Amino acid sequence: MLTKKAVNSYLFQAGIQIRKDALEFLMKYMEKRGFEEHALEEIVDKLRKFQVVDIEELRSVFLDALKIRNNTQNYIAAIDVFEDLPKYFYEEGFEAKEPGSMFAAAEAKSFMYRQRFSVIQDRILKNPEYSFELSTIDSLVGSSGEKIVLGMLSKIDGENWYLEDLNSSVKLVISEIDKNTGFYCEGCVVLVQGVLVDTLFYVSCFIMPSLAKNPESFFGDQAYIEKHKGTDQVWELEWPEASFIVVLSNVHLNEPRVLRHLEKLFEGLEHMQQILFVLMGNFCSESEVNPYSYKDMFTSLVNTIENYESLKENAQWVFVPGPKDPGLGNFMPRQKLGDCFTFPLKSLKRWKFCSNPARVHLGGKKLVFARTEQLRLLMRNSAVLPNYQENPQPESHLAHTLVKQGHLCPSSAVLPDFDSALWLDSEVEVLCLGENCNSFCYEVDEVKVANPGHFSRYANFISITANLEVQMCSLDN
């Protein structure tokens, strides 16, 4: 690992002067990304045009440096957000913190919401697309005319809508409003346009923020990969163009017809040279699940896979638990299933049971897999109906909301100390949800949001090619 002194000396020899805050920023960025000297050389080439490098110039260079990642590396890394990554917090940049607690103190929830607000506020202030003047709630007093305020939607009294920022709150009047794309629910941080009359803020428009390409929005994945290369935690292998990922959701292993569907799927894919299967729960269809039945269900799955020697030896398997699989309460993120339930999977060559959500790195490409059930929740609790005339598909509004919020569960129950595990950074290229709705794929802010549909009910799934093209697929029932 390069030290600060070595980096400063390297820049000096290249004829580049760098300010102190810019050097600190550079060191934090390199440490998180696991960059070595060859990557520093490429960054230095871009810095030569500056006589003195300040932090803003360095930020612009790093936007290009996102493309520097060595995409020729052939590896797959499935990351568990509980076991493999530290807790992160935001304070003028993302910083690693001590591991979080499943049973956080009461003040952790307010800290969580303040963090969400600060992340989006920083995105807006650094985004040149936003040229308007941003007002705070306190500054509305005594002002005239329409203002644009950034805040978090809430129901402080349980009935009326309020907008909160870090210091104040104001009651909203939502009547005549321009409908927009997305769901605007409690916990969402949004831009609100309106005018203050007495103590009420009359809203004329809600706007979702954009997911800016911000090089700081990185949460330690690359450092984990560099640390575990050469171990069974990072699978180093060739990934030819003909390879792809198969994603299934609601794989009810207790149903014989699901195992027959899997046999049919495996038979069609047995000839593939490289393939990654991502199976998301729920893995049992019963409303009252006996946790110890999971051992038998995964044994049935392994027995089915063993009929296809090529898949058993060459395929990679990632498992993500669903909301009704054994776990602690109805919260996100969810921990993986215990080894006592999943040990039959050990007969597979390359497999990992991850948390929900799970992050998967395929070379230099980042994908997020999350088994959620929030479409109906967001539809039911939105402060204003989306613009269904221009965009009649609720699934499209869901994709828009999650990407714009930069959060997988903006209005659901979460574990406060692990809220950062649900953040979406600008490196995510594909977000795969496991919603109980039809299959879909939309692109929002250069992020492809896809849903495989219900495999057990309709035998639907999605495939993702090596260049991240998403295809909707279905077996003949």
Side-chain angles (χ1 to χ4, degrees):
M1 181 68 67
L2 294 172
T3 64
K4 184 189 295 186
K5 184 177 180 180
V7 171
N8 200 15
S9 175
Y10 189 94
L11 294 172
F12 181 78
Q13 292 175 15
I16 300 171
Q17 297 182 41
I18 186 169
R19 299 192 188 280
K20 183 177 180 181
D21 58 348
L23 180 60
E24 293 288 344
F25 179 90
L26 175 61
M27 292 307 301
K28 290 179 182 178
Y29 187 77
M30 289 184 61
E31 181 180 0
K32 294 174 186 176
R33 298 194 61 83
F35 271 8
E36 300 296 338
E37 188 168 345
H38 72 277
L40 179 60
E41 291 173 358
E42 297 192 46
I43 293 174
V44 167
D45 288 339
K46 295 179 179 293
L47 293 176
R48 293 186 189 278
K49 60 184 178 181
F50 305 112
Q51 292 183 345
V52 179
V53 179
D54 62 25
I55 194 166
E56 292 303 323
E57 291 164 342
L58 196 60
R59 289 183 200 275
S60 66
V61 168
F62 276 140
L63 289 174
D64 296 329
L66 290 173
K67 303 175 183 178
I68 291 176
R69 292 176 303 177
N70 188 1
N71 291 335
T72 62
Q73 290 180 332
N74 296 314
Y75 64 83
I76 297 177
I79 297 178
D80 185 299
V81 299
F82 285 97
E83 297 182 356
D84 300 334
L85 295 176
K87 169 186 171 183
Y88 277 82
F89 72 99
Y90 181 86
E91 187 176 348
E92 296 183 356
F94 295 92
E95 300 288 344
K97 204 174 183 180
E98 73 281 354
S101 170
M102 297 287 288
F103 307 99
E107 58 269 18
K109 189 171 184 179
S110 61
F111 180 77
M112 172 190 78
Y113 285 125
R114 295 174 72 89
Q115 290 284 285
R116 287 192 199 176
F117 179 89
S118 297
V119 169
I120 293 183
Q121 182 184 48
D122 182 74
R123 270 169 36 192
I124 291 174
L125 294 177
K126 293 176 181 176
N127 191 338
E129 295 180 4
Y130 294 108
S131 57
F132 51 79
E133 181 181 351
L134 199 61
S135 301
T136 63
I137 294 176
D138 282 338
S139 69
L140 295 176
V141 179
S143 65
S144 60
E146 285 202 331
K147 302 293 182 181
I148 298 178
V149 185
L150 178 70
M152 177 175 288
L153 293 173
S154 65
K155 286 188 174 180
I156 297 175
D157 58 9
E159 295 182 2
N160 300 293
W161 286 101
Y162 287 80
L163 190 70
E164 297 185 70
D165 61 15
L166 296 178
N167 300 308
S168 302
S169 64
V170 63
K171 188 175 179 179
L172 302 179
V173 177
I174 306 172
S175 53
E176 298 181 5
I177 183 172
D178 294 334
K179 293 184 178 179
N180 215 324
T181 305
F183 299 110
Y184 296 85
C185 302
E186 272 194 281
C188 290
V189 180
V190 297
L191 292 162
V192 181
Q193 182 174 335
V195 59
L196 184 71
V197 179
D198 296 329
T199 59
L200 302 177
F201 193 68
Y202 287 78
V203 180
S204 61
C205 184
F206 283 132
I207 306 170
M208 286 282 183
S210 296
L211 183 63
K213 291 295 179 183
N214 186 346
E216 288 178 282
S217 54
F218 175 79
F219 307 129
D221 297 18
Q222 195 68 27
Y224 168 85
I225 293 168
E226 294 296 331
K227 179 181 178 181
H228 291 90
K229 274 189 176 178
T231 71
D232 58 0
Q233 298 298 309
V234 177
W235 305 321
E236 299 191 45
L237 42 83
E238 295 294 326
W239 193 257
E241 290 187 4
S243 306
F244 59 89
I245 305 170
V246 174
V247 186
L248 303 87
S249 179
N250 279 303
V251 186
H252 297 161
L253 298 175
N254 63 317
E255 297 181 359
R257 68 189 179 109
V258 172
L259 295 176
R260 291 196 296 269
H261 287 159
L262 290 173
E263 287 179 349
K264 188 173 182 179
L265 178 64
F266 295 159
E267 184 178 351
L269 298 174
E270 188 178 14
H271 67 283
M272 296 298 300
Q273 182 179 354
Q274 286 291 1
I275 188 167
L276 168 64
F277 288 94
V278 179
L279 277 64
M280 297 191 285
N282 304 315
F283 294 107
C284 184
S285 61
E286 298 175 0
S287 56
E288 296 184 4
V289 182
N290 178 7
Y292 297 101
S293 66
Y294 277 72
K295 181 188 72 172
D296 297 331
M297 290 189 290
F298 286 119
T299 298
S300 299
L301 173 62
V302 170
N303 291 340
T304 302
I305 296 172
E306 287 180 341
N307 294 328
Y308 307 91
E309 188 66 26
S310 175
L311 293 182
K312 180 184 176 183
E313 292 298 319
N314 300 321
Q316 295 78 44
W317 306 83
V318 173
F319 299 86
V320 178
K324 293 184 180 179
D325 290 321
L328 178 64
N330 190 23
F331 300 99
M332 284 287 284
R334 294 182 69 85
Q335 288 183 306
K336 68 177 184 179
L337 296 187
D339 293 340
C340 60
F341 304 134
T342 62
F343 74 87
L345 299 172
K346 292 183 178 180
S347 61
L348 301 176
K349 188 174 181 180
R350 286 185 288 266
W351 71 281
K352 185 170 183 178
F353 214 115
C354 288
S355 59
N356 180 14
R359 300 175 188 166
V360 174
H361 285 255
L362 183 60
K365 301 168 183 175
K366 181 173 179 178
L367 304 90
V368 174
F369 297 88
R371 174 64 177 91
T372 60
E373 291 184 358
Q374 55 184 333
L375 176 58
R376 293 179 181 176
L377 173 70
L378 295 177
M379 292 175 65
R380 188 168 58 245
N381 296 320
S382 184
V384 60
L385 289 177
N387 190 341
Y388 285 127
Q389 291 183 341
E390 290 186 4
N391 192 349
Q393 301 299 328
E395 296 86 358
S396 174
H397 294 282
L398 170 66
H400 189 91
T401 302
L402 301 188
V403 174
K404 295 289 188 180
Q405 288 295 304
H407 200 282
L408 285 169
C409 302
S411 194
S412 302
V414 303
L415 295 171
D417 260 10
F418 294 92
D419 187 63
S420 62
L422 304 172
W423 295 349
L424 295 174
D425 62 38
S426 58
E427 292 184 336
V428 176
E429 298 185 53
V430 177
L431 168 59
C432 284
L433 303 174
E435 286 285 326
N436 280 329
C437 62
N438 297 329
S439 302
F440 64 79
C441 182
Y442 300 100
E443 185 165 340
V444 183
D445 288 352
E446 301 181 24
V447 179
K448 293 178 181 177
V449 184
N451 185 64
H454 203 295
F455 183 77
S456 298
R457 190 175 300 160
Y458 305 113
N460 292 336
F461 61 98
I462 61 174
S463 66
I464 305 173
T465 63
N467 60 354
L468 302 186
E469 293 297 322
V470 179
Q471 301 172 349
M472 303 291 128
C473 306
S474 180
L475 296 173
D476 294 329
N477 289 321

